[in-house]
Amino acid sequence: RKAWRRFERLLAPSSDGEPPLLTITRERATYTDEKFELFQKYSVAVHEDAPKDVTEVRFSEFLVDSPMNIWLQRHSLPDTMDSIALGTFHELYRTREGRLIAVGVQDVLPS
């Protein structure tokens, strides 16, 4: 519970009008140089991958070209389903200064 309160404080604007310390936004999964560079740093630091092995193609295959997005492009959904809300999304975590520090990947499936 204490950890959640600390997290909530990160997202709240400060009393002096400054923006929150952390902002979280969600967007369709797409390639950007900024996300790729973060992925590359992560892969090298955490998985000890060689920088030359961490490519734009590998990033896109792993985090952008979702089978769900391909399926949605090929099939029409019943009128009761909102295809805009389905698919693969990136959740972007940024510092107050706008620096990207983390990317979460979400697959939103029907039912």
Side-chain angles (χ1 to χ4, degrees), residues 33-104:
D33 289 338
E34 181 185 37
K35 288 188 265 187
F36 171 70
E37 288 166 12
L38 184 64
F39 172 74
Q40 190 175 44
K41 288 178 188 175
Y42 167 81
S43 295
V44 170
V46 174
H47 297 289
E48 299 179 355
D49 293 336
K52 68 177 179 56
D53 294 334
V54 185
T55 65
E56 289 94 342
V57 170
R58 183 173 154 202
F59 171 83
S60 292
E61 287 175 349
F62 185 54
L63 298 173
V64 177
D65 301 333
S66 161
M68 181 64 190
N69 290 340
I70 295 166
W71 186 89
L72 285 169
Q73 291 170 2
R74 294 184 182 159
H75 296 83
S76 45
L77 296 172
D79 290 338
T80 56
M81 296 183 112
D82 183 4
S83 65
I84 293 173
L86 300 175
T88 301
F89 296 86
H90 287 165
E91 196 169 73
L92 308 177
Y93 296 79
R94 295 184 181 279
T95 64
R96 177 182 286 164
E97 298 75 30
R99 186 169 62 92
L100 184 65
I101 59 170
V103 176

Side-chain angles (χ1 to χ4, degrees), residues 20-37:
L21 291 172
L22 181 69
T23 58
I24 303 170
T25 58
R26 185 172 171 239
E27 65 184 32
R28 284 247 173 236
T30 58
Y31 173 92
T32 67
D33 289 338
E34 181 185 37
K35 288 188 265 187
F36 171 70
E37 288 166 12

